[in-house]
Amino acid sequence: MNCSAEAQGIEEKDNDNEQIILENYDYSTMEVETLLLINKYRASNGLDSLEILNHLSIKSEEHNIYMIEKGIPSHDDFTNRSEEIIKTLGAKKVSENVGYNYRSAEGVLNGWAKSPEHKEVMLGDFNYFGISIRENQDTGKKYFTNIFIKI
């Protein structure tokens, strides 16, 4: 599943971006592997690598927690999530891919690459991204949220 939004008529805030940049996020090995594979995939298609932005990973994690609580992958509340990112970071464009029950970084990358909509997001005109992969402790199923932005 993927979703996209562009900044249209949303008033950007003058926030202290230094504080946003310094936000901490502890990346798992699988999260790092997935981000590296996405950048490798972009490079193989002649595109620049994306920079990791912790704020996007935090927003991705919040969405994963929501999906785990609901028990289903979704783009619920994407409009509010994207508007917050646009206002906070001054993003011009926001997209996200979500995934469910992949067992590896290679698995989720391959799944997204085979889907025209997900592939379009991974190869889109973005310069930053973030990711969260969280496991439902009751079911053992993994939830993935990967947010991409253009600033």
Side-chain angles (χ1 to χ4, degrees):
M1 302 167 123
N2 75 12
C3 240
S4 297
E6 293 192 28
Q8 296 177 351
I10 296 174
E11 187 175 318
E12 297 174 14
K13 292 182 183 174
D14 290 328
N15 283 347
D16 183 2
N17 284 338
E18 185 175 325
Q19 182 181 356
I20 299 297
I21 291 168
L22 296 177
E23 286 179 304
N24 288 326
Y25 184 87
D26 292 324
Y27 291 89
S28 70
T29 300
M30 189 174 183
E31 288 168 337
V32 172
E33 289 173 356
T34 304
L35 293 171
L36 291 172
L37 285 172
I38 291 168
N39 271 338
K40 185 176 178 182
Y41 183 70
R42 286 176 60 86
S44 73
N45 283 276
L47 299 171
D48 291 335
S49 293
L50 303 176
E51 292 184 48
I52 299 168
L53 193 56
N54 291 345
H55 185 73
L56 301 177
S57 296
I58 291 166
K59 292 297 162 190
S60 295
E61 181 175 43
E62 290 171 0
H63 187 57
N64 278 345
I65 291 167
Y66 170 84
M67 291 191 296
I68 289 169
E69 288 172 356
K70 294 295 181 184
I72 188 166
S74 74
H75 289 288
D76 290 357
D77 209 28
F78 175 75
T79 299
N80 288 334
R81 194 165 39 262
S82 63
E83 286 176 358
E84 186 277 335
I85 291 167
I86 289 166
K87 288 178 183 177
T88 301
L89 300 176
K92 300 191 180 352
K93 181 177 166 183
V94 181
S95 291
E96 74 178 17
N97 283 339
V98 300
Y100 171 72
N101 202 28
Y102 290 98
R103 298 177 192 257
S104 67
E106 294 84 3
V108 73
L109 176 83
N110 290 336
W112 285 339
K114 289 177 183 174
S115 160
E117 295 86 5
H118 292 91
K119 181 178 179 177
E120 181 180 346
V121 171
M122 287 195 302
L123 299 178
D125 182 24
F126 301 106
N127 51 6
Y128 292 95
F129 64 168
I131 194 166
S132 172
I133 302 169
R134 291 292 171 262
E135 184 175 316
N136 181 326
Q137 296 303 309
D138 295 332
T139 65
K141 308 285 186 191
K142 289 183 175 65
Y143 289 78
F144 298 74
T145 301
N146 190 195
I147 299 177
F148 299 76
I149 67 169
K150 170 85 173 187
I151 294 182

